[in-house]
């Protein structure tokens, strides 16, 4: 889940009527160019994050590339790949490009041509994550159909967007959707010639695998070897699973927050979370806990103010959500392409309501940008809780951490008393594009394109080990080891507990 403040006019599930169509169907270059023009104009006018990580020259260059790529494009899938490349290049984890449902349904009915096994990134290699197949569990994939695995992965990055130039987060999407992504880029394949290297062997071996159905591939994903460890990657959290606390080793505790999707400040679920936090930190203070592990490795975001309230128990400074936030338009642009159920003759009325919202939330115009002012709730000065934790914080992060999850993790990582352990997050340290999603339908292809419009600068200190165009960088980079993958053990938690014990003995 990625942090969104839902925008009813523009956000709903895609539904398209018509006969099932294949991404391999012909699609004229004339129609591609019309949609490319619409797509570009929308991004230039409405996407405040267009130049967040890219210069104007870089954006101009990739659109020149896209126009030339259309010269070589012939199918609907070719054009989808061009739009995905443009979307990914911008560098926002809230960007999304969706096929109309009729194309998704057509793929789900395909009975052959999909790579059969799920894969996973371990110790710098893409390995087989399935123990019932013709290639042994944990074998490194060298190539598929003579294409190097490293080149394949680079070509699949465009289907899973992340902040800046981050790539660790892209591994999450590829781990689950490798075969689907492969099909979208390379097409269906009745057989796959795979070169692989078994673990602890220098010998490259070969296997010929038959392509399988779309649905059979996802059956194998649900039976992957690592599911006992990483099933939480793709689940919707129940409230009882979302947060927990436990004591270990006498003076050490573990606070786990798997999602901030706990409702807004008027909701009962948010109220229950506040009660939980107050109880936990009262207990921590009374028991004199000195070391607190804060585990947010599965936190993909959620809603305000759950992230900010949690941070108020982990800081000794006054803070606010954003140093600044702005949008690039005064009124909703290109409304005729908006992703909306409201009939066209009623859209001006609906747009007026939301234009008023933008005007109220972003009243200050400076050089064509519209900023939040000090009256906005996001700029309120927040205080630490009276019984906020003052001991040693060990923050566990990973590639799944995004949006509100990464905003929270960045703020905790900025504390002087925090040690950050794990892997680079999907979401950025210094900021992101978030809060309000907008969606548009490209008129000729019917593709839906989404992005969040608020360009945010987070209230975090400058740190020498944090990069503007990357995710949050840990102090200790600790990916899961190969042996722990085989045993489905938690390398990062074991490392953290061992580090705390070592620090106690110094």
């Amino acid at each position: 889940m990625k942090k969104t403040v839902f925008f009813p006019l523009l956000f709903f599930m895609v539904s398209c009527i018509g006969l099932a169509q294949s991404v391999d169907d012909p699609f004229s270059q004339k129609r591609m160019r019309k949609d490319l023009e619409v797509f570009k104009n929308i991004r230039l006018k409405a996407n405040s994050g267009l130049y967040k990580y890219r210069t104007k020259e870089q954006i101009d260059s990739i659109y020149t590339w896209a126009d030339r790529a259309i010269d070589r494009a012939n199918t609907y899938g070719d054009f989808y790949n061009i739009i995905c490349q443009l979307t990914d290049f911008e560098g926002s984890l809230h960007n999304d490009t969706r096929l109309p449902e009729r194309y998704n349904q057509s793929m789900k009915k395909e009975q052959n041509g999909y790579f059969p096994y799920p894969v996973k990134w371990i110790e710098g290699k893409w390995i087989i994550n399935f123990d019932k197949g013709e290639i042994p569990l944990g074998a490194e994939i060298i190539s598929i159909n003579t294409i190097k695995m490293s080149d394949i992965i680079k070509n699949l990055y465009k289907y899973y967007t992340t902040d800046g130039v981050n790539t660790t987060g892209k591994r999450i999407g590829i781990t689950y959707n490798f075969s689907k992504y492969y099909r979208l880029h390379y097409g269906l394949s009745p057989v796959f010639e795979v070169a692989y290297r078994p673990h602890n062997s220098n010998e490259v071996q070969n296997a010929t695998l038959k392509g399988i159905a779309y649905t059979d591939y996802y059956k194998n994903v649900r039976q992957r070897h690592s599911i006992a460890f990483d099933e939480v990657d793709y689940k919707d959290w129940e409230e009882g699973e979302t947060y927990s606390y436990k004591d270990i080793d006498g003076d050490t505790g573990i606070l786990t927050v798997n999602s901030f999707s706990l409702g807004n400040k008027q909701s009962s679920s948010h109220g229950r979370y506040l009660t939980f936090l107050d109880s936990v930190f009262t207990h921590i203070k009374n028991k004199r806990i000195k070391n607190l592990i804060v585990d947010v490795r599965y936190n993909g975001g959620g809603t305000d103010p759950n992230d900010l309230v949690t941070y108020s128990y982990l800081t000794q400074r006054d803070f606010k959500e954003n140093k600044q936030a702005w949008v690039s338009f005064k009124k909703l642009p290109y409304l005729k392409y908006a992703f909306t159920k409201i009939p066209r003759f009623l859209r001006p009325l609906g747009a007026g309501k939301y234009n008023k919202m933008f005007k109220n939330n972003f009243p200050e115009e400076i050089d064509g940008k519209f900023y939040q002012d000090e009256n906005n709730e996001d700029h309120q000065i927040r205080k630490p809780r009276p019984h906020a934790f003052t001991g040693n914080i060990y923050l566990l992060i990973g590639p799944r951490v995004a949006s509100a999850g990464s905003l929270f993790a960045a703020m905790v990582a900025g504390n002087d008393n925090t040690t950050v352990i794990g892997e680079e997050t999907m979401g950025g340290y210094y900021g992101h594009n978030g809060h309000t999603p907008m969606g548009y339908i490209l008129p000729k292809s019917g593709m839906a394109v989404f992005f969040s419009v608020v360009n945010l600068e987070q209230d975090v200190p400058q740190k020498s080990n944090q990069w503007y165009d990357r995710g949050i960088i840990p102090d200790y980079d600790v990916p899961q080891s190969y042996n722990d993958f085989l045993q489905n053990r938690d390398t990062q938690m074991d490392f953290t507990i061992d580090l705390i014990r070592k620090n106690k003995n110094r």
Side-chain angles (χ1 to χ4, degrees), residues 337-383:
Y337 302 121
F339 193 55
T340 175
K341 285 183 176 179
I342 295 179
R344 287 185 184 277
F345 68 91
L346 291 178
R347 288 185 188 182
L349 179 64
K353 175 182 177 182
Y354 293 102
N355 285 332
K356 184 178 180 180
M357 183 198 75
F358 277 113
K359 183 178 180 179
N360 291 338
N361 286 340
F362 303 92
E364 295 186 355
E365 181 177 0
I366 304 173
D367 297 330
K369 300 175 182 177
F370 300 87
Y371 288 81
Q372 289 179 347
D373 62 15
E374 293 303 317
N375 295 320
N376 192 282
E377 186 177 6
D378 289 351
H379 289 281
Q380 288 182 0
I381 301 298
R382 300 171 184 266
K383 300 285 186 180

Side-chain angles (χ1 to χ4, degrees), residues 25-184:
D25 288 347
F27 194 66
S28 74
Q29 293 176 356
K30 181 179 179 180
R31 299 175 77 189
M32 293 183 197
R33 286 201 160 84
K34 171 62 177 176
D35 271 7
L36 179 62
E37 179 185 13
V38 171
F39 179 87
K40 181 179 180 180
N41 288 337
I42 288 170
R43 300 318 251 218
L44 289 171
K45 183 67 175 178
N47 188 356
S48 62
L50 186 62
Y51 303 119
K52 192 175 186 73
Y53 302 110
R54 304 294 187 181
T55 65
K56 183 180 184 302
E57 290 74 21
Q58 288 174 320
I59 293 296
D60 289 345
S61 177
I62 197 168
Y63 277 100
T64 298
W65 165 84
D67 189 66
R68 292 173 179 170
I70 287 177
D71 291 335
R72 304 182 299 275
N74 297 299
T75 69
Y76 191 92
D78 291 339
F79 184 63
Y80 175 73
N81 286 333
I82 291 170
I83 296 298
C84 285
Q85 193 71 54
L86 294 170
T87 302
D88 180 52
F89 187 75
E90 292 173 2
S92 173
L93 62 83
H94 289 109
N95 284 357
D96 194 13
T97 303
R98 300 183 192 174
L99 290 165
E101 189 58 24
R102 62 183 180 272
Y103 289 92
N104 286 321
Q105 291 301 321
S106 177
M107 291 176 63
K108 290 177 181 179
K109 294 176 182 177
E110 290 172 336
Q111 295 300 306
N112 187 22
Y114 286 82
F115 188 82
Y117 305 136
V119 300
K120 190 172 183 179
W121 187 92
I122 296 289
E123 294 186 348
K125 303 171 183 177
W126 285 95
I127 65 172
I128 294 292
N129 188 15
F130 193 71
D131 59 7
K132 304 179 182 69
E134 300 168 63
I135 300 177
L137 172 69
E140 177 190 3
I141 304 174
I142 306 299
S143 66
I144 300 175
N145 291 343
T146 73
I147 304 171
K148 291 181 180 178
M149 189 63 172
S150 57
D151 292 335
I152 291 172
I153 294 300
K154 288 177 183 177
N155 284 327
L156 305 191
Y157 277 165
K158 61 181 172 284
Y159 300 117
Y160 200 86
T161 59
T162 57
D163 280 350
V165 296
N166 167 267
T167 58
T168 58
K170 293 177 181 295
R171 298 173 194 156
I172 303 304
I174 292 173
T175 296
Y176 192 80
N177 295 306
F178 175 75
S179 191
K180 177 182 177 181
Y181 292 170
Y182 186 100
R183 185 264 184 271
L184 286 169

Side-chain angles (χ1 to χ4, degrees), residues 105 215 309 382 429 431 471:
Q105 291 301 321
T215 53
V309 170
R382 300 171 184 266
Y429 175 80

Side-chain angles (χ1 to χ4, degrees), residues 212-426:
I212 63 174
Y214 176 102
T215 53
D216 289 337
Y217 165 73
Y218 282 103
K219 287 179 183 177
N220 288 344
V221 169
R222 292 189 291 272
Q223 297 179 47
R224 65 192 182 277
H225 167 76
S226 65
I227 194 167
F229 177 77
D230 60 17
E231 183 179 11
V232 291
D233 284 0
Y234 312 100
K235 73 183 298 181
D236 293 323
W237 296 97
E238 299 292 335
E239 186 177 337
E241 304 169 314
T242 303
Y243 49 87
S244 63
Y245 174 82
K246 65 179 180 180
D247 293 330
I248 61 169
D249 282 2
D251 61 355
T252 300
I254 302 175
L255 173 66
T256 301
V257 185
N258 292 318
S259 173
F260 289 125
S261 291
L262 297 164
N264 59 29
K265 58 185 178 183
Q266 285 81 36
S267 70
S268 57
S269 56
H270 172 71
R272 288 189 292 272
Y273 184 56
L274 291 182
T275 300
F276 163 80
L277 287 175
D278 192 68
S279 173
V280 164
F281 283 92
T282 298
H283 166 84
I284 285 173
K285 186 172 184 178
N286 291 339
K287 195 168 181 183
R288 297 182 180 179
I289 296 294
K290 296 180 180 178
N291 304 291
L292 181 61
I293 300 170
V294 180
D295 186 356
V296 293
R297 287 175 292 172
Y298 298 105
N299 196 316
T303 49
D304 288 337
N306 300 297
D307 48 353
L308 305 175
V309 170
T310 310
Y311 180 65
S312 70
Y313 285 94
L314 297 167
T315 186
Q316 282 75 58
R317 71 178 177 98
D318 294 349
F319 67 97
K320 52 187 177 180
E321 179 170 4
N322 304 317
K323 289 182 179 178
Q324 66 173 23
W326 57 273
V327 297
S328 57
F329 56 88
K330 189 174 184 178
K331 294 183 178 181
L332 292 171
Y334 297 101
L335 189 60
K336 68 178 179 178
Y337 302 121
F339 193 55
T340 175
K341 285 183 176 179
I342 295 179
R344 287 185 184 277
F345 68 91
L346 291 178
R347 288 185 188 182
L349 179 64
K353 175 182 177 182
Y354 293 102
N355 285 332
K356 184 178 180 180
M357 183 198 75
F358 277 113
K359 183 178 180 179
N360 291 338
N361 286 340
F362 303 92
E364 295 186 355
E365 181 177 0
I366 304 173
D367 297 330
K369 300 175 182 177
F370 300 87
Y371 288 81
Q372 289 179 347
D373 62 15
E374 293 303 317
N375 295 320
N376 192 282
E377 186 177 6
D378 289 351
H379 289 281
Q380 288 182 0
I381 301 298
R382 300 171 184 266
K383 300 285 186 180
R385 297 284 166 156
H387 49 307
F389 183 68
T390 59
N392 303 310
I393 297 173
Y394 295 83
L395 178 68
L396 267 62
I397 60 172
R400 305 161 188 81
V401 179
S403 196
S406 56
L407 183 150
F408 167 80
M411 297 177 86
V412 177
N415 291 352
D416 291 335
N417 62 334
T418 297
T419 301
V420 186
I421 298 164
E423 299 174 86
E424 180 184 349
T425 63
M426 185 190 310

